[in-house]
Amino acid sequence: MTENTIYHDDDATHSYIEEKTVAVLGYGSQGHAHAQNLAESGVDVIVGLREGSASRTAAREDGLTVATPTEAAAAADVVSMLVPDNVQPDVYAAIEAELDAGDTLQFAHGFNVHYDQIEPPEDVDVTMVAPKGPGHIVRRQYADGEGTPGLLAVYRDATGEAKQEALAYADAIGCTRAGVIETTFREETETDLFGEQAVLCGGVTELVKAGYETLTDAGYSEEMAYFECLNELKLIVDLLYEGGMSEMWDSVSDTAEYGGLTRGEVVVDDHTRERMETVLEEVQNGEFAREWIAENQAGRPSYGQRRRAEKAHDIEDVGEELRALFAWSEEENREKANAPADD
Ligand code: NAD
Ligand code: MG
């Protein structure tokens, strides 16, 4: 096992970013948060968006300067690439000529650099500052004087200052307040893809569907199958998130604990682990990346078909009906969130 270094506020020096102009390309989830946090930290920010982009009005209303991606990159020392990963190669092609020696090209995810979809010039620093949270949380935490943990990586250090500058950027968006973990483009990209495929998005949904189908095929009601295999997942995930596996095992009944400890490994067994290794190999050898890039170039035919099939699964209809019964709990949460805090 290897351990990564974690950086905090004291490790960051603001002067590495304060004299610089940062072009934030894209004003979506990450873009709006980086741009506003940087500006409030005293950094010069230009938001780069296409003419006619709907986000232009939003950025202007937030008090920021807006230009085209090419104009923003031309004026900037640091270009932060925060448009969707699948459009980054096109946006990069439009700004490549504006990258001068000693400038920085920065990312929040390593995919395009790691899989050679973007190949920046040798004399440009290439870094990553990736908050481990969606943009609205990055923005809200910063505004509340807190921070979102993040990742930091240096792919190319042309100036000798790439890491200091990335740390100062991480500080300016609030990440060092919580902690910034040093990683590499390879590690971030490969663990991110593997995690979302095998465990988070792909693994969990297949486990839920398999459990649901096992119960309904055996004659149990769809409602019971939905509650047991999907709805209650939230309670378990909340416990895992708060206190790890120990807190989850401590909180469920002894019957659930004994049953889980003995039967979990019957379901997720050596065969599953071998399959996980295959999924990881396809991430590592670039097979998944090539497939996904080709799928996009072909207009996403297989993606569209799989999306439709997933939406058509029975569990989606049952879920919609049953979730409506819980509408009150949503209401109540909203009311609580809006109520003035009592001291
Ligand atoms: P997003 O989809 O929320 O934002 C997209 C922005 O890019 C919008 O402002 C849109 O106007 C602009 N845009 C879309 N198409 C464009 C085009 N063709 N040309 C120019 N601009 C275009 O994106 P996001 O989720 O913030 O992702 C940005 C980066 O951050 C990605 O690399 C992603 O992997 C990474 N990231 C995202 C999250 C997250 O929670 N969303 C977390 C960590 C890292
Ligand atoms: Mg991910």
Side-chain angles (χ1 to χ4, degrees):
M1 200 179 85
T2 55
E3 275 183 40
N4 298 11
T5 313
I6 303 182
Y7 297 102
H8 301 281
D9 284 346
D10 290 348
D11 302 305
T13 310
H14 190 59
S15 59
Y16 282 99
I17 196 85
E18 72 187 346
E19 298 294 311
K20 301 194 173 146
T21 301
V22 178
V24 173
L25 307 186
Y27 204 70
S29 176
Q30 290 296 320
H32 92 282
H34 290 222
Q36 292 183 52
N37 293 2
L38 285 164
E40 280 172 33
S41 294
V43 179
D44 259 339
V45 174
I46 305 175
V47 177
L49 289 167
R50 291 168 297 179
E51 310 268 6
S53 156
S55 307
R56 282 190 155 221
T57 314
R60 285 213 181 90
E61 279 173 6
D62 292 333
L64 296 161
T65 307
V66 177
T68 65
T70 313
E71 289 162 355
D77 309 292
V78 178
V79 176
S80 197
M81 186 60 92
L82 298 175
V83 297
D85 296 295
N86 58 305
V87 309
Q88 287 183 9
D90 285 343
V91 172
Y92 176 75
I95 63 111
E96 184 172 23
E98 311 304 335
L99 293 173
D100 303 321
D103 280 356
T104 299
L105 184 61
Q106 187 169 277
F107 293 85
H109 178 36
F111 187 97
N112 286 302
V113 169
H114 181 59
Y115 293 116
D116 301 326
Q117 299 307 295
I118 291 178
E119 296 178 285
E122 296 288 335
D123 54 6
V124 164
D125 288 347
V126 182
T127 59
M128 173 171 23
V129 175
K132 287 308 274 178
H136 67 278
I137 301 290
V138 176
R139 177 62 193 143
R140 193 199 304 153
Q141 291 278 76
Y142 178 93
D144 289 349
E146 316 265 338
T148 312
L151 303 177
L152 177 146
V154 176
Y155 179 80
R156 181 177 298 137
D157 184 7
T159 62
E161 294 183 352
K163 187 162 155 186
Q164 287 303 329
E165 190 191 72
L167 267 172
Y169 182 107
D171 179 56
I173 63 169
C175 290
T176 51
R177 291 174 184 170
V180 171
I181 304 171
E182 185 165 18
T183 182
T184 62
F185 274 60
R186 171 174 182 257
E187 186 181 52
E188 185 274 337
T189 305
E190 294 180 355
T191 55
D192 183 70
L193 292 176
F194 174 80
E196 64 202 17
Q197 292 173 14
V199 180
L200 306 174
C201 310
V204 165
T205 51
E206 287 306 321
L207 194 63
V208 165
K209 284 186 288 182
Y212 175 89
E213 287 165 16
T214 302
L215 285 177
T216 53
D217 288 352
Y220 297 99
S221 73
E222 292 179 342
E223 290 77 9
M224 293 301 285
Y226 173 83
F227 277 122
E228 293 304 327
C229 299
L230 191 151
N231 183 272
E232 289 196 22
L233 192 57
K234 172 160 170 53
L235 309 176
I236 299 302
V237 169
D238 284 350
L239 292 166
L240 291 172
Y241 182 84
E242 275 166 30
M245 295 201 276
S246 308
E247 180 159 327
M248 189 280 288
W249 290 128
D250 286 349
S251 305
V252 299
S253 71
D254 288 357
T255 310
E257 185 177 9
Y258 178 75
L261 288 170
T262 57
R263 268 43 174 195
E265 63 194 37
V266 173
V267 175
V268 179
D269 61 2
D270 287 345
H271 175 74
T272 313
R273 283 168 202 266
E274 276 166 32
R275 292 307 183 109
M276 281 194 177
E277 279 168 24
T278 305
V279 168
L280 181 57
E281 277 162 22
E282 291 181 3
V283 165
Q284 290 171 330
N285 65 23
E287 198 174 323
F288 172 77
R290 282 190 293 277
E291 177 185 320
W292 175 224
I293 291 159
E295 175 71 14
N296 275 292
Q297 283 163 353
R300 302 185 161 190
S302 158
Y303 184 20
Q305 196 186 350
R306 285 173 185 274
R307 248 186 186 171
R308 285 189 295 277
E310 188 78 350
K311 285 201 168 79
H313 194 285
D314 280 352
I315 199 169
E316 292 292 89
D317 295 329
V318 183
E320 207 175 317
E321 255 169 57
L322 291 178
R323 283 191 299 272
L325 303 179
F326 289 97
W328 55 267
S329 84
E330 284 297 305
E331 282 296 276
E332 209 167 73
N333 283 339
R334 262 195 300 273
E335 274 164 28
K336 260 189 218 146
N338 294 333
D342 30 45
D343 298 318

